[in-house]
Amino acid sequence: MHPTRKAVVTAAALLVMATAGCDSGAGATASHKSSAKPGCPMALSRAKQAVKKAQEVNAPWRGPTTGPKAAHGKTVVYVAQTLTNPGVAGVAQGVQEAAKIAGWHARTLNGQGTPEGIRAAFKQAVRLKPDGIVLSGFDPAIAAADVKKAERAGIALIGWHATAAPGPSEDPHLFSNITSRVEDVAKISADWIIARSNGRAGVVLFTDASIPFAKHKSDLIKKELATCSGTKLLSYTDIPIPRANSRSIGEVRSLLSRFGRKWTYSAAINDLYFRHAAPALRAAGRDGAGAPYNIGAGDGDPSAFERVNGKEFQAATVPEPLSEQGWQIVDEFNRAFAGAPGSGYVAPVHIATAANSGGALSWDSEGYRQAYRKIWGV
């Protein structure tokens, strides 16, 4: 068992309570008491079942166990949309760690969160003539000409959240795109709101419409929320991730002014939004463990876990296994270099709350490092 989860083995009863909408802070407002008549009995029943499964603590490794031995002396460049995005930064750290174990050289370039910065970083990556380039957190169309140039040069390309679906892509040509299934992440995030609110919620949804992957995710959350007639979408708020720091406080103040106590839940395509929303909620006198109950539909960086564990304006996160996905990127490159097919592995969806995290600051499947090292023979 993962050491950060040992403390939660005895918390199974708490998990059952949490999935029934009875965890700490649930029903704190009159319209959200657990005794209130559900707004959507059938959708609520399905949501509770899905959330219970996603909150299970143990996650044994179900990824690849066979593959080519580690190639020698490879160089990869990780082009980040922006390193202020904790998910992008977390995967970068995983790539660096795994590349070192494999005996490779890895370099990270920061796109600074702008199309111009991303294009400049990608151009630099191509000039370095590496064996592989990672496109992390941005639409390859932003640097389309240089992506084609990299293809012609025989540079292997792997994405992280670069396209909507996991696995290989023909246009753009990616050996693989590493991501959870966006449909699963979006659905479970909305289901958590439905289940926890007993089918009665006023929801604000935060997105970055400039990133197709992020926009697609938030659209799917919106769609799933609509399966429950008692769950009302109050606002679909578009804040670009690079501007979350400067815009979130003002947007949250405006939302509080418009909706007041009707705003009981939030979902965001990235935990980052709640880092910046917290000061405005605190200034408005809101309780960090109270409404709006916030869930991040993605990333699960350490700061998000700190907010969740401390009940500081974030109640849950649907974390990507960031370090694990960095290791997977290195493994997929190794398969590409060997002329082998991709692993086809997609990490399972998970919900982390204060009740089931055991105080951990990340979520990864158990034993992934050992599994990859055994495959690589290192």
Side-chain angles (χ1 to χ4, degrees), residues 177-221:
N177 179 55
I178 310 303
T179 178
S180 298
R181 289 188 177 90
V182 66
E183 296 85 358
D184 295 343
V185 173
K187 184 177 186 300
I188 203 63
S189 301
D191 283 347
W192 179 85
I193 291 175
I194 294 168
R196 194 181 187 284
S197 69
N198 206 35
R200 296 285 184 185
V203 185
V204 169
L205 179 55
F206 295 96
T207 191
D208 182 344
S210 70
I211 302 174
F213 180 90
K215 177 64 163 55
H216 180 52
K217 183 191 292 185
S218 56
D219 285 345
L220 290 170
I221 294 172

Side-chain angles (χ1 to χ4, degrees), residues 8 30 63 77 80 90 103 113 116 230 232-233 252 268 287-288 292 307 314 338 345:
V8 298
V77 177
E116 296 78 14
K232 306 300 183 184
L233 183 63
V252 169
D287 181 357
R307 289 190 297 277
Q314 186 167 351
Y345 176 63

